[in-house]
Amino acid sequence: NEIAAGIRIALAPRGVAHVEVPSVRRMIEGGAFDTIYHEHRCYFSAAALQSLFHRHGLRMIGAEILEIHGGSLHVRLAHEGDESQADAMVRDERAAGLFDDRFYADFKARVARAKSEVVGAIDSFGTVAGYGAAAKGVVLLNSFGLDAERIPWVSDVSPHKQGRFVPGTRQRIVAPSALLEAKPDAALLLPWNLKDEIVRMNRAFLDQGGRFIVPIPKVVIV
């Protein structure tokens, strides 16, 4: 509420404010539980945002879903304006069941199924490393019980992470060159939202027979 009130104060009479937040709909539908960590405590619907900003005299003149980070909700705000786009998104949310407890009720069960599928995929390969020591990867590894015995190391492009360890599961973080040197059968791709970029950067690993296991939104072997 303080942020919304501040936007109203700071916004010029004909100004437009842009706000981007995690989408609760995409997070639930995609099973992206691993995006929930200390930096991402709140997930929003268009209905919740519209109610919030109306409380402070702001109109939501635009609303769209972006694919970044498993689904983000981007809205535009003004002191006055047409809210038909936002209204349409709210109606779509209602039709999708976002105002019904059942939309959220099986989330835990779907995360459990995802764990079973990911562990099954890992077990289908002889040796499996990790790729990308991202925050979401820390959540997934710890939630799924994938410690250093199952995933012995994780490679990451950041020199600031290399030589350190994944919190909780204790995998050593190494340079991406380890994929070519150690030649694991597969690598669990932890920052799955960057799949296309990571696959492009590591074509040599795939060309030598390696595979990437993409865990979310559904298990895919690349």
Side-chain angles (χ1 to χ4, degrees):
N1 279 284
E2 290 183 355
I3 291 173
I7 291 172
R8 180 184 58 79
I9 294 168
L11 191 61
R14 295 188 178 182
V16 175
H18 293 255
V19 174
E20 188 173 306
V21 294
S23 164
V24 67
R25 178 174 182 177
R26 286 299 181 87
M27 190 271 286
I28 294 292
E29 289 179 338
F33 76 96
D34 58 338
T35 63
I36 304 171
Y37 48 86
H38 63 290
E39 296 174 12
H40 305 147
R41 296 173 58 191
C42 300
Y43 291 77
F44 297 88
S45 64
L49 289 179
Q50 190 176 50
S51 175
L52 168 66
F53 292 122
H54 278 182
R55 200 177 305 145
H56 297 277
L58 293 167
R59 306 284 287 176
M60 210 156 79
I61 61 172
E64 62 179 332
I65 293 289
L66 304 179
E67 295 306 319
I68 190 168
H69 207 70
S72 296
L73 183 55
H74 174 224
V75 303
R76 290 178 289 122
L77 307 168
H79 293 292
E80 297 179 356
D82 179 14
E83 287 195 299
S84 57
Q85 188 179 27
D87 291 340
M89 183 175 285
V90 171
R91 288 194 298 271
D92 189 50
E93 289 177 346
R94 184 178 294 279
L98 261 72
F99 301 163
D100 190 324
D101 286 349
R102 287 176 295 180
F103 183 78
Y104 309 92
D106 71 339
F107 184 59
K108 181 179 179 180
R110 288 194 290 117
V111 172
R113 287 197 296 272
K115 175 181 178 179
S116 177
E117 292 171 4
V118 169
V119 171
I122 291 171
D123 288 345
S124 69
F125 292 97
T127 55
V128 179
Y131 188 97
K136 59 164 54 70
V138 175
V139 175
L140 187 144
L141 290 171
N142 281 275
S143 297
F144 286 2
L146 297 172
D147 58 18
E149 290 187 11
R150 303 293 295 278
I151 307 288
W153 49 267
V154 174
S155 63
D156 195 279
V157 295
S158 172
H160 302 292
K161 296 180 182 180
Q162 293 164 14
R164 299 178 183 273
F165 294 85
V166 175
T169 50
R170 298 291 295 170
Q171 286 91 351
R172 187 172 182 85
I173 302 170
V174 300
S177 58
L179 291 175
L180 301 178
E181 296 162 0
K183 298 181 180 180
D185 296 321
L188 180 62
L189 203 161
L190 298 167
W192 46 265
N193 55 311
L194 302 176
K195 172 178 70 70
D196 294 341
E197 177 184 345
I198 291 171
V199 167
R200 265 197 319 272
M201 290 169 56
N202 294 276
R203 179 57 59 183
F205 170 62
L206 299 177
D207 289 344
Q208 73 175 15
R211 296 291 182 265
F212 280 115
I213 303 170
V214 183
I216 293 174
K218 61 180 180 179
V219 176
V220 175
I221 307 298
V222 178

